[in-house]
Amino acid sequence: MSIRIHGRCIAEYWRALLRLAPGFALLLLFWSAGELISRRVGLPVPGSVLGMALLAAALRLRVVPLRMVEPAAALLIRRMALFFVPPGVAILLYLDVLRSEWLALLLATVVGTVGVLLTVGLLQKRLDGHD
């Protein structure tokens, strides 16, 4: 008789874990590389962003096959809502700051959002060859 959790055999959990391990290892590797480069070079870009840019380049150049990171990335995306809990708690802790600085925060949010939308739109247009 095998040990079961929620109706599933323990071996199924191990198989799932082993299927996800290479993807998580690659995500951690690229994140670490981005952190290292950002800190050593002193870039004003967060290491996590640089690491994901490196991963995107590796995927685009087919240095890393998508099938290696897709299961781990899909799991993280499915559980993404959990990553918003700590910032939500932080907002509650800093309500007084939000009340006193709401205009500056609103302005920064609008300008940042418009900037990102324009940058992404222009970059996509350029990549699609619609100069």
Side-chain angles (χ1 to χ4, degrees), residues 1-24:
M1 181 168 169
S2 63
I3 299 173
R4 302 184 81 69
I5 299 175
H6 300 293
R8 292 176 66 186
C9 177
I10 289 286
E12 290 178 47
Y13 283 103
W14 279 107
R15 279 192 290 274
L17 181 64
L18 291 175
R19 192 177 71 247
L20 294 171
F24 279 120

Side-chain angles (χ1 to χ4, degrees), residues 16-118:
L17 181 64
L18 291 175
R19 192 177 71 247
L20 294 171
F24 279 120
L26 277 171
L27 291 172
L28 287 171
L29 177 76
F30 278 95
W31 171 71
S32 298
E35 285 291 333
L36 182 69
I37 292 168
S38 179
R39 290 179 187 193
R40 296 285 170 135
V41 178
L43 295 174
V45 178
S48 57
V49 173
L50 186 58
M52 291 305 105
L54 292 170
L55 176 61
L59 288 168
R60 180 88 169 151
L61 296 171
R62 291 186 165 75
V63 174
V64 173
L66 180 60
R67 65 179 165 68
M68 284 187 72
V69 293
E70 194 169 23
L75 176 68
L76 290 173
I77 289 171
R78 280 194 311 271
R79 304 292 186 246
M80 190 180 289
L82 294 174
F83 297 115
F84 288 97
V85 172
V89 171
I91 287 173
L92 294 176
L93 290 174
Y94 292 99
L95 276 177
D96 56 330
V97 175
L98 290 173
R99 285 187 186 113
S100 65
E101 302 294 334
W102 70 270
L103 185 59
L105 291 168
L106 179 66
L107 185 64
T109 301
V110 170
V111 169
T113 301
V114 169
V116 167
L117 287 172
L118 287 173

Side-chain angles (χ1 to χ4, degrees), residues 119-131:
T119 302
V120 170
L122 292 171
L123 181 61
Q124 185 62 45
K125 192 175 177 181
R126 188 170 189 192
L127 288 172
D128 287 344
H130 300 301
D131 292 333

